[in-house]
C-alpha cells in the first residue's frame, strides 16, 4: 500500500504549545523531568501547569455563544422526552419491550437517551454535547486508582513517517499529551517493579532500564473523534482493568474539529512509542501491551495496528475492539434502521451541524479520503500480519454491518486471527452501561482474552499461514472444549443475530 505525505492543513494545530482538544479533561499538575543529551536535567513544570490550566479553561474558550440558549431549549424539551420515556415504560410493563431481552432498567436508560436525542439533536451544536458529556466525568468509581501520566511529545523522525511526517515535523518539544493511569485498587496494589510518573527524578535518569514485563492496556476512548476523554470513560476502563488484572494507560488524543486527521492517529502512535521507548520512564515490552478502544477509539486502534505493520514497527501483543467505527462512509444498511433501538442517530452524515466527516477530515475532504485505510480501516488492502484481534459488537447497533464486514475481511487473511462476539439486543458500546448480564459477560470475555485467549492464539500465529478460515475456527474450538474459555463464549462465537 502506498502512503503519501500528509497535505491536510491544520492536522497538528496547537495553541501556545497546548493541544486544543482537551476541552473535557482536567489534568493534575506534575513535574516532568527530561534529560538532555548532555545529561542536564530540565524541569518542565511550567509547561505542564500551563497545559493543565488550559485544559480546565478550554471549554469556556471554545464554547459558542449559543450554548446557554441550547441548554435552555433542552430543559424546555425535557417534559416531552419524559413523556416519550413514560410510553416506553408502559409498553414494557405490558410485555412489549422494544427488544425481547431488554429488562426494565435497559428500557428506562435507552428510552431516555433516545428521547433526549430526538428532542435536541437537530438544533444542538457540538459544544452542547461536549457540555452534556461533562457530567460523565463525575462518575469516577470509588474502588479505582488514577494517576496522571501526561508527557511531553517529542519528534520521532525515524518512526513517524509517511502520512505522519508533517505532524512530526511540527513538534517543538513543548506540546503536552495528557493521559492517565486507571486501575482497580486490587490491580494497582499488585503492580511492582514499575517506574511511576511520580517517582523521584533520580529514577527517571536511568534510561538503560531493563524492559518492563508488566502487562498493560493502551486504551483509546471513543466519541466520534470530536468528544469525550479518558475521564468520561472511567466507569468502563475501571471494569476492564478489574477483569483483565492490568493497568490501563488512557490517552486524551486531540479532538476534531480543532485538530483534523491525522492528528488523532499521530497522538495514539506517539503514546505507544512513548510507552515502548527505552529512553522514557516506562520502557514496556511491546508484546506486553494490549491495544484497546471503543467506537472511534476502536477505529484508531486498528488504524494504529495497520500503520505499525506498514512501517515495520514492533506490533503489540493483541487488540480488543469494542463496537469499532471502521467505515466513515456510512454506506452499510444498519446505519439507516437502528435509531429505534440504539441511542446513536441514523446516518450522521445527514446532520448539518454534527456531521463527523468534515469535522474529522476538514471541510474540504474528498470521498477518496473517507476510504483511506487510516481513516476507515475497513478499506485496508489486506489484514495480514496483525496481532490477534477480538471484536465485540451489539446485535442492534448501527455499526453492526460494518463490524461484521470487518470480521469477514480479517478472517479471510492467512496470518491474522480475529474473534468476533455479537451480543443479542445490545447497543453501541453496551459494555459501559448497566444493562443486566450481557455487559458483565462481555467484560468477563475481555478478561479471558487478556489473560488466556490472546496468548494462546499467539502461539498458533506462526502456523496460521497454512490454516484456512475453518482451521482458525478449529483452533478456537479446541480452546472451548478444553474448558479455558469463559461461559457462553462458544455460543457467542457463532455470532447471535440481532
Amino acid at each position: 500500500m502506498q502512503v503519501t505525505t500528509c497535505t491536510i492543513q491544520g492536522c497538528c494545530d496547537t495553541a501556545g504549545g497546548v493541544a486544543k482538544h482537551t476541552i473535557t479533561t482536567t489534568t493534575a499538575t506534575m513535574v516532568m523531568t527530561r534529560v538532555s543529551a548532555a545529561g542536564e536535567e530540565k524541569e518542565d513544570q511550567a509547561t505542564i501547569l500551563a497545559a493543565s490550566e488550559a485544559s480546565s479553561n478550554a471549554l469556556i474558550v471554545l464554547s459558542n455563544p449559543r450554548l446557554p440558549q441550547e441548554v435552555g431549549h433542552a430543559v424546555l424539551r425535557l417534559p416531552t422526552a419524559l413523556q416519550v420515556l413514560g410510553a416506553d415504560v408502559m409498553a414494557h410493563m405490558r410485555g412489549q419491550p422494544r427488544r425481547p431481552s431488554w429488562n426494565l432498567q435497559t428500557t428506562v436508560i435507552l428510552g431516555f437517551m433516545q428521547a433526549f436525542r430526538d428532542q435536541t439533536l437537530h438544533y444542538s451544536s457540538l459544544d452542547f454535547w461536549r457540555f452534556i458529556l461533562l457530567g460523565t466525568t463525575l462518575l469516577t468509581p470509588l474502588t479505582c486508582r488514577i494517576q496522571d501520566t501526561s508527557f511531553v511529545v517529542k519528534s520521532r523522525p525515524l518512526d513517524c513517517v509517511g502520512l505522519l511526517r508533517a505532524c512530526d515535523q511540527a513538534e517543538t518539544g513543548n506540546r503536552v499529551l495528557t493521559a492517565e493511569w486507571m486501575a482497580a485498587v486490587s490491580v494497582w496494589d499488585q503492580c511492582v517493579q514499575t517506574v511511576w510518573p511520580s517517582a523521584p527524578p533520580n529514577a527517571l535518569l536511568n534510561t538503560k532500564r531493563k524492559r518492563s514485563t508488566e502487562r498493560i492496556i493502551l486504551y483509546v476512548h471513543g466519541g466520534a473523534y470530536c468528544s469525550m476523554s479518558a475521564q468520561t470513560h472511567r466507569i468502563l476502563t475501571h471494569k476492564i482493568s478489574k477483569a483483565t488484572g492490568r493497568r490501563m494507560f488512557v490517552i486524551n488524543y486531540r479532538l476534531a474539529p480543532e485538530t483534523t486527521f491525522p492528528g488523532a492517529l499521530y497522538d495514539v502512535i506517539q503514546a505507544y512509542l512513548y510507552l515502548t521507548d527505552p529512553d522514557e520512564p516506562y520502557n514496556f515490552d511491546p508484546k506486553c501491551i494490549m491495544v484497546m478502544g471503543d467506537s472511534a477509539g476502536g477505529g484508531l486502534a486498528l488504524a494504529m495496528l495497520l500503520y505499525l505493520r506498514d512501517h515495520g514497527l514492533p506490533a503489540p501483543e493483541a487488540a480488543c475492539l469494542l463496537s469499532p467505527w471502521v467505515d466513515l462512509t456510512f454506506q452499510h444498511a444498519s446505519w439507516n434502521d437502528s435509531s429505534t433501538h440504539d441511542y446513536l442517530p441514523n446516518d450522521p452524515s445527514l446532520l448539518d451541524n454534527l456531521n463527523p466527516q468534515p469535522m474529522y477530515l476538514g471541510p474540504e475532504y474528498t470521498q477518496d479520503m473517507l476510504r483511506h485505510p487510516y481513516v476507515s480501516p475497513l478499506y485496508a488492502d489486506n489484514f495480514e500480519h496483525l496481532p490477534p484481534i477480538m471484536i465485540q459488537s451489539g446485535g442492534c447497533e448501527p455499526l453492526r454491518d460494518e463490524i461484521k464486514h470487518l470480521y469477514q475481511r480479517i478472517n479471510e487473511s492467512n496470518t491474522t486471527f480475529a474473534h468476533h462476539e455479537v451480543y443479542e439486543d445490545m447497543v453501541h458500546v453496551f459494555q459501559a452501561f448497566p444493562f443486566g448480564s450481557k455487559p458483565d459477560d462481555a467484560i468477563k470475555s475481555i478478561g479471558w482474552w487478556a489473560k488466556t485467549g490472546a496468548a494462546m492464539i499467539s502461539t498458533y500465529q506462526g502456523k496460521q499461514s497454512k490454516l484456512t478460515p475453518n482451521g482458525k475456527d478449529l483452533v478456537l474450538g479446541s480452546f472451548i472444549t478444553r474448558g479455558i474459555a469463559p461461559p457462553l463464549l462458544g455460543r457467542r462465537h457463532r455470532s447471535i443475530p440481532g
Side-chain angles (χ1 to χ4, degrees):
M1 178 177 59
Q2 183 178 1
V3 181
T4 59
T5 303
C6 174
T7 58
I8 303 171
Q9 185 177 2
C11 70
C12 292
D13 287 345
T14 56
V18 180
K20 292 182 180 179
H21 77 290
T22 51
I23 65 167
T24 59
T25 64
T26 54
T27 307
T29 59
M30 59 175 285
V31 177
M32 180 175 292
T33 303
R34 291 188 290 122
V35 182
S36 65
E40 297 178 353
E41 286 188 2
K42 179 180 179 181
E43 291 187 347
D44 288 319
Q45 185 176 20
T47 301
I48 306 298
L49 288 172
S52 178
E53 183 178 358
S55 299
S56 60
N57 294 332
L59 179 67
I60 301 174
V61 175
L62 295 178
S63 293
N64 68 57
R66 292 183 52 211
L67 181 59
Q69 179 183 353
E70 292 174 1
V71 173
H73 188 79
V75 172
L76 293 177
R77 292 282 185 145
L78 273 178
T80 304
L82 293 176
Q83 188 176 16
V84 174
L85 173 61
D88 289 342
V89 172
M90 292 299 296
H92 185 99
M93 299 298 290
R94 293 195 300 267
Q96 299 174 343
R98 290 196 181 186
R99 300 298 294 184
S101 65
W102 283 9
N103 58 22
L104 181 60
Q105 185 173 354
T106 303
T107 296
V108 171
I109 295 174
L110 285 177
F112 177 77
M113 295 175 71
Q114 292 164 354
F116 187 78
R117 173 202 66 198
D118 294 340
Q119 297 299 318
T120 59
L121 184 64
H122 294 285
Y123 72 84
S124 57
S125 66
L126 175 59
D127 282 336
F128 170 81
W129 289 103
R130 286 173 167 177
F131 177 78
I132 294 298
L133 291 170
L134 280 175
T136 59
T137 63
L138 304 176
L139 303 177
T140 301
L142 297 178
T143 57
C144 74
R145 289 192 179 178
I146 301 167
Q147 190 166 32
D148 182 270
T149 183
S150 303
F151 62 94
V152 175
V153 178
K154 68 179 184 181
S155 177
R156 300 178 184 273
L158 298 180
D159 298 326
C160 297
V161 296
L163 186 71
L164 302 184
R165 184 178 297 279
C167 296
D168 196 67
Q169 291 175 342
E171 294 297 341
T172 62
N174 294 321
R175 185 169 70 90
V176 177
L177 186 58
T178 60
E180 69 180 26
W181 283 112
M182 155 63 78
V185 171
S186 57
V187 174
W188 191 280
D189 292 342
Q190 293 175 0
C191 292
V192 294
Q193 298 177 350
T194 302
V195 178
W196 302 88
S198 59
N202 289 338
L204 300 178
L205 294 177
N206 183 11
T207 59
K208 301 299 183 182
R209 293 177 53 246
K210 183 180 178 181
R211 280 282 192 187
S212 173
T213 57
E214 179 194 356
R215 296 191 177 274
I216 66 166
I217 292 173
L218 170 59
Y219 194 89
V220 188
H221 70 79
Y225 299 107
C226 58
S227 66
M228 308 194 82
S229 66
Q231 289 72 28
T232 63
H233 278 61
R234 284 174 175 170
I235 291 289
L236 177 59
T237 53
H238 172 258
K239 291 195 292 186
I240 294 173
S241 172
K242 189 174 181 180
T244 60
R246 301 189 184 199
R247 289 193 296 159
M248 314 264 300
F249 186 91
V250 193
I251 71 164
N252 288 314
Y253 54 87
R254 290 170 292 175
L255 298 182
E258 292 78 27
T259 298
T260 54
F261 174 81
L265 176 62
Y266 175 75
D267 288 349
V268 173
I269 292 173
Q270 274 281 0
Y272 177 76
L273 296 176
Y274 169 75
L275 290 171
T276 58
D277 190 341
D279 295 328
E280 297 290 355
Y282 296 111
N283 191 21
F284 287 109
D285 185 338
K287 293 304 180 183
C288 292
I289 299 177
M290 177 173 289
V291 180
M292 192 177 299
D294 67 278
S295 191
L300 279 175
L302 183 54
M304 185 190 80
L305 295 182
L306 294 172
Y307 178 90
L308 296 176
R309 180 202 64 182
D310 293 343
H311 296 86
L313 297 173
E317 168 196 12
C320 182
L321 312 178
L322 313 182
S323 297
W325 186 20
V326 293
D327 182 8
L328 269 66
T329 66
F330 299 110
Q331 291 188 355
H332 288 82
S334 56
W335 273 109
N336 300 318
D337 60 5
S338 299
S339 63
T340 303
H341 305 114
D342 200 282
Y343 55 88
L344 294 180
N346 285 338
D347 195 350
S349 66
L350 301 178
L351 299 173
D352 294 332
N353 52 343
L354 291 172
N355 183 354
Q357 293 172 337
M359 283 195 288
Y360 185 51
L361 299 177
E364 299 180 357
Y365 75 94
T366 64
Q367 292 300 312
D368 289 340
M369 291 173 62
L370 289 175
R371 291 177 176 268
H372 192 289
Y374 297 162
V375 174
S376 298
L378 178 63
Y379 299 105
D381 290 344
N382 65 79
F383 291 93
E384 303 290 350
H385 305 293
L386 297 178
I389 300 173
M390 167 186 269
I391 306 171
Q392 290 185 343
S393 60
C396 60
E397 68 166 294
L399 285 74
R400 66 178 184 272
D401 286 351
E402 66 188 73
I403 294 173
K404 180 181 179 181
H405 190 187
L406 173 68
Y407 169 68
Q408 291 173 345
R409 288 212 59 204
I410 298 177
N411 204 37
E412 290 170 356
S413 68
N414 294 319
T415 57
T416 301
F417 187 96
H419 170 53
H420 185 201
E421 298 179 353
V422 182
Y423 288 77
E424 187 179 13
D425 293 340
M426 289 291 99
V427 298
H428 187 61
V429 196
F430 64 93
Q431 299 89 343
F433 297 95
F435 290 160
S437 62
K438 290 182 180 178
D440 294 337
D441 287 344
I443 295 296
K444 291 177 183 177
S445 188
I446 294 173
W448 168 82
W449 181 253
K451 294 178 179 178
T452 306
M456 286 194 166
I457 291 170
S458 295
T459 303
Y460 292 86
Q461 199 86 348
K463 304 177 182 179
Q464 287 184 0
S465 60
K466 301 179 181 180
L467 292 177
T468 64
N470 291 334
K472 294 180 184 179
D473 290 340
L474 291 176
V475 171
L476 183 62
S478 67
F479 296 161
I480 297 168
T481 56
R482 288 160 57 188
I484 56 178
L488 303 180
L489 180 61
R491 180 171 66 85
R492 289 201 305 271
H493 174 63
R494 294 301 175 187
S495 299
I496 301 171

